[in-house]
Amino acid sequence: MTTITDQRESVEARSRELLQTAALLGAFACTGFLAGFAILSDYSFREAASTPYSLADNALTFIAFSLLALSIPGFCRRLDLPRWAATTSAAACASVAAMAWVLMTVTPHFAAVVTDHEFDTFSVYLLLLPLPKMVLGLVGFGGLGIAGLKRHSIPRGAAVLLLLGGLLSLWWAYPPGGLLAACAFAWIARSSSEDR
């Protein structure tokens, strides 16, 4: 018969594994997005939006960052980190997932019915799409990084990655900030398993 402590440790281990897996998938997806600039350099922005490569990468990004958004608050609760920063970081990950969803669904549909010039003109309106990610990433990732440094509850390197990820969240595309934040969360989950 298992005790409550055994069950709690099992849930914590699953939570840690989910966070680490989602973070590694997120880092892989962000790297894929960045690699797409080189791989799809012969395509116009409109054509690249509909390629199987872009669709698959955005689907992976959506899945990874949705899982991160769901797992961060529960995992950070057992660490000595402020709840508001964990929740805001989760919201930033949800914003990345929402961006990937739009890039996977709305953008290819629109790209199929317009010319390159019309698509580039419409893309100006897409500048509003990442605003939630920018604000939430800066505040959430930055807040977790600062709190982690002050409270010594996460590795210093992971805290620095979170701070840099927060600053890079101010860029339009999600990969630079998302990549560093995903690497930081994978590091935090890994170091948490080593502490046990």
Side-chain angles (χ1 to χ4, degrees):
M1 188 162 140
T2 61
T3 63
I4 293 175
T5 305
D6 292 339
Q7 290 174 350
R8 183 177 296 152
E9 287 176 2
S10 175
V11 168
E12 287 177 1
R14 286 189 206 131
S15 172
R16 185 174 49 250
E17 290 167 2
L18 176 63
L19 180 69
Q20 188 171 5
T21 302
L24 291 173
L25 273 175
F28 180 75
C30 286
T31 303
F33 186 97
L34 293 171
F37 288 112
I39 294 169
L40 303 173
S41 62
D42 293 339
Y43 292 89
S44 69
F45 185 52
R46 182 186 66 81
E47 294 167 332
S50 301
T51 62
Y53 180 88
S54 293
L55 297 175
D57 186 63
N58 284 316
L60 184 60
T61 302
F62 172 74
I63 292 167
F65 280 88
S66 294
L67 290 173
L68 271 173
L70 292 172
S71 62
I72 289 170
F75 183 80
C76 288
R77 190 175 341 185
R78 62 188 226 31
L79 300 174
D80 184 27
L81 294 170
R83 180 176 283 173
W84 68 266
T87 305
T88 309
S89 292
C93 289
S95 294
V96 169
M99 284 181 67
W101 180 261
V102 168
L103 292 173
M104 178 178 64
T105 58
V106 176
T107 306
H109 173 71
F110 185 70
V113 296
V114 298
T115 65
D116 284 344
H117 177 69
E118 291 170 326
F119 190 83
D120 291 341
T121 303
F122 171 75
S123 297
V124 171
Y125 297 107
L126 289 178
L127 292 175
L128 300 176
L129 180 64
L131 284 179
K133 177 219 37 121
M134 292 172 164
V135 174
L136 294 168
L138 178 65
V139 174
F141 300 148
L144 271 183
I146 291 169
L149 283 173
K150 283 185 174 183
R151 299 178 181 191
H152 304 288
S153 55
I154 60 176
R156 257 190 211 146
V160 170
L161 285 177
L162 283 170
L163 286 168
L164 291 173
L167 289 173
L168 288 175
S169 291
L170 295 174
W171 192 44
W172 182 88
Y174 59 80
L179 174 62
L180 293 179
C183 289
F185 285 118
W187 190 345
I188 292 166
R190 178 70 179 164
S191 70
S192 175
S193 68
E194 292 170 355
D195 292 343
R196 293 249 165 226

